[in-house]
């Protein structure tokens, strides 16, 4: 029935104009789709291709062999929020002002998703970590789905539905965060217990056991806890395999970037889990890039924050900082989770600045690394100054510091 603008009362009403869809006038880029996969709490030395005995992540291994394997990639922070904020902008957490759980990526920050959307990309994020809610990480994503508690395979199914429903020819910037290796280490049934027959590891002390809390502790036998963690890495790898399947319409022409958001400690340096320390187990992560034409291994230290510069470059934008192909000489990682700490890593060594214990140099003394650490220390909360005057004077004499 056509009412012709007459309501039931008989009074004439204004006809409601049909809603015209807003035309998408953005250009359609010719640059490729980009898939950025970040995996929770994934330390590099628990993957076969990075020197581990078990083949925990065979799909990541294949990506690394078909593309470039970065042997020394470090996360910009040892916990999710600052690390992901850094990956999505290219800025260090302290530059961005995202160093505690209360912080939000500021609106004025320029995120990858915003920049790629502006030049015509479709943008989508799928994840299952609470830090992806309410922290400004959603900026620029036209589709943003964060379902805390959902499995990675459920996420992959959602990604497949999204991809299957897409129309048009725009390239896609797809970011997916996989939660599986985060504690508790409880892999899906098909994988659980796979390594339980391994020889026993060392027994955790009472102090360690009590410190770990319910989420992290699994078994007094540390070997069993590590085995359970490895099973979670395998579960995450199966999600990546499912994402590869979901992306079949464009996957062969896309750039694939896979990394960890940070590592995971198991008492190597007096700590467990992640967030507080900057030793390798908490910040050395796997990084594989496939689809750029690279077929090699890069042994230079790189920051996963430089992924942002590379993605901008792929999309034809100004990288606005170091890239994975043209890295800076120094990698910086930092945390304010417990004690304020910053580490500067060069090819030769590392300098750690620790608000409690001072400056620690490992390997060959590297003045540039020391300077980088000091520069980051300058962003610690104002009352924290740990680099002593003697060190500063030495750097000043070398022309490094003011
Ligand atoms: Zn994380």
């Amino acid at each position: 029935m056509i009412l012709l603008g007459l309501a039931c009362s008989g009074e004439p009403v204004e006809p409601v104009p049909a809603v015209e869809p807003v035309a998408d006038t953005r250009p359609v880029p010719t640059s490729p789709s980009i898939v950025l996969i970040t995996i929770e709490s994934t330390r590099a030395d628990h993957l076969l291709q990075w020197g581990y005995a078990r083949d925990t992540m065979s799909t990541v291994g294949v990506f690394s062999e078909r593309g470039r394997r970065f042997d020394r990639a470090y996360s910009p922070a040892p916990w999710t929020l600052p690390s992901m904020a850094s990956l999505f902008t290219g800025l260090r957490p302290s530059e961005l002002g995202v160093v505690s759980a209360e912080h939000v990526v500021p609106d004025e920050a320029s995120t990858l998703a915003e920049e790629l959307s502006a030049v015509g990309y479709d943008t989508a994020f799928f994840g299952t970590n609470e830090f992806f809610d309410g922290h400004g990480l959603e900026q620029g994503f036209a589709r943003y789905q964060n379902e805390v508690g959902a499995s990675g395979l459920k996420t992959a199914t959602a990604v497949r539905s999204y991809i299957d429903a897409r129309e048009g020819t725009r390239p896609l910037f797809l970011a997916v965060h996989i939660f599986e290796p985060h504690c508790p280490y409880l892999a899906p049934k098909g994988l659980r217990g796979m390594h339980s027959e391994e020889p026993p590891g060392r027994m955790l002390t009472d102090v360690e056991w009590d410190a770990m809390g319910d989420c992290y502790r699994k078994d007094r036998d540390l070997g069993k806890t590590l085995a359970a963690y490895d099973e979670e890495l395998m579960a995450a790898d199966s999600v990546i395999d499912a994402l590869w399947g979901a992306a079949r319409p464009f996957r062969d022409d896309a750039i694939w970037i896979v990394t960890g958001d940070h590592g995971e400690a198991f008492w190597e340096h007096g700590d467990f889990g992640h967030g507080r320390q900057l030793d390798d187990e908490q910040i050395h992560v796997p990084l594989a890039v496939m689809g750029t034409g690279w077929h090699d291994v890069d042994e230079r230290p790189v920051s996963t924050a430089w992924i942002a510069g590379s993605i901008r470059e792929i999309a034809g934008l100004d990288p606005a900082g170091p890239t994975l192909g043209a890295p800076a000489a120094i990698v910086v990682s930092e945390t304010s989770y417990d004690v304020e700490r910053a580490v500067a890593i060069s090819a030769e060594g590392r300098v750690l600045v620790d608000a409690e214990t001072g400056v620690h140099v490992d390997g060959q003394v590297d003045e540039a690394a020391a300077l980088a650490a000091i520069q980051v220390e300058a962003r610690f909360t104002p009352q924290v100054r740990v680099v002593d005057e003697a060190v500063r004077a030495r750097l000043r004499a070398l022309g490094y510091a003011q």
Side-chain angles (χ1 to χ4, degrees):
M1 184 172 67
I2 300 170
L3 292 172
L4 294 172
L6 292 176
C8 297
S9 65
E11 296 293 319
V13 294
E14 290 292 317
V16 180
V19 177
E20 289 288 332
V22 178
D24 188 347
T25 56
R26 297 175 302 159
V28 177
T30 54
S31 42
S33 291
I34 301 163
V35 183
L36 172 61
I37 300 172
T38 50
I39 320 156
E40 260 303 323
S41 310
T42 299
R43 51 188 283 174
D45 67 349
H46 272 242
L47 277 74
L48 182 71
Q49 293 74 16
W50 279 260
Y52 198 46
R54 291 174 183 144
D55 189 5
T56 52
M57 305 196 81
S58 54
T59 309
V60 178
V62 169
F63 285 10
S64 74
E65 284 157 9
R66 289 189 191 167
R68 175 173 289 180
R69 186 182 81 217
F70 289 87
D71 270 357
R72 295 187 66 193
Y74 298 92
S75 56
W79 58 288
T80 307
L81 176 60
S83 178
M84 290 307 304
S86 191
L87 258 74
F88 279 179
T89 60
L91 296 174
R92 289 205 295 260
S94 58
E95 291 174 316
L96 197 55
V98 180
V99 302
S100 87
E102 293 78 42
H103 289 158
V104 175
V105 177
D107 282 345
E108 55 272 26
S110 185
T111 67
L112 281 178
E114 286 174 329
E115 293 171 34
L116 269 62
S117 178
V119 295
Y121 271 74
D122 285 339
T123 54
F125 170 85
F126 294 82
T128 54
N129 180 318
E130 62 188 27
F131 281 121
F132 286 97
D133 284 332
H135 288 89
L137 293 166
E138 72 287 352
Q139 294 178 46
F141 287 106
R143 170 71 181 270
Y144 193 83
Q145 179 174 327
N146 187 44
E147 197 178 345
V148 177
S151 72
L153 286 176
K154 188 178 176 198
T155 304
T157 301
V159 171
R160 178 182 281 264
S161 300
Y162 166 76
I163 289 172
D164 287 349
R166 284 180 77 223
E167 292 175 352
T169 56
R170 293 185 180 283
L172 172 64
F173 173 48
L174 172 66
V176 181
H177 188 76
I178 300 171
F179 193 71
E180 262 68 3
H182 199 285
C183 75
Y185 313 123
L186 201 60
K189 281 202 177 97
L191 296 169
R192 202 181 304 171
M194 268 195 79
H195 301 301
S196 57
E197 301 305 316
E198 296 289 317
R202 78 168 175 86
M203 300 304 281
L204 292 167
T205 66
D206 288 344
V207 170
E208 289 169 340
W209 182 255
D210 290 343
M212 287 175 88
D214 289 340
C215 186
Y216 286 92
R217 63 183 158 207
K218 177 80 179 168
D219 196 293
R220 289 297 286 252
D221 177 344
L222 185 58
K224 286 196 166 31
T225 299
L226 290 169
Y229 169 72
D230 289 347
E231 289 159 13
E232 291 280 44
L233 295 179
M234 296 175 81
D237 194 72
S238 68
V239 176
I240 297 170
D241 187 48
L243 291 171
W244 175 252
R248 65 206 178 291
F250 60 83
R251 67 186 181 194
D252 293 324
D253 300 319
I255 309 295
W256 289 75
I257 303 169
V258 184
T259 192
D261 67 341
H262 50 77
E264 187 83 329
F266 294 96
W267 297 111
E268 292 83 357
H269 293 88
D271 195 18
F272 67 97
H274 55 268
R276 293 167 288 268
Q277 294 186 352
L278 298 169
D279 298 298
D280 272 11
E281 58 271 15
Q282 295 203 30
I283 59 171
H284 181 206
V285 291
L287 172 59
V289 177
M290 180 174 71
T292 57
W294 291 335
H295 300 283
D296 52 16
V297 175
D298 195 330
E299 296 175 346
R300 295 174 291 186
V302 297
S303 170
T304 53
W306 303 343
I307 289 171
S310 283
I311 288 179
R312 289 185 179 113
E313 208 169 46
I314 290 162
L317 299 165
D318 179 350
T323 66
L324 298 176
I330 304 294
V331 170
V332 173
S333 182
E334 57 189 57
T335 187
S336 304
Y337 194 98
D338 178 14
V339 174
E340 294 202 70
R341 297 184 169 104
V343 68
I345 299 167
S346 71
E348 306 298 328
R350 56 154 55 209
V351 180
L352 175 73
V353 183
D354 183 303
E356 269 189 354
T357 61
V359 181
H360 308 265
V361 179
D362 290 331
Q364 199 169 312
V365 176
D366 187 316
E367 304 295 354
L371 176 63
I374 289 164
Q375 287 172 335
V376 176
E377 179 229 34
R379 297 192 179 91
F380 285 8
T381 47
Q383 66 272 25
V384 178
R385 285 287 180 274
V386 299
V387 176
D388 66 37
E389 270 313 308
V391 174
R392 270 186 220 286
R394 190 160 58 89
L395 290 166
R396 218 177 285 129
L398 288 163
Y400 286 109
Q402 296 298 311

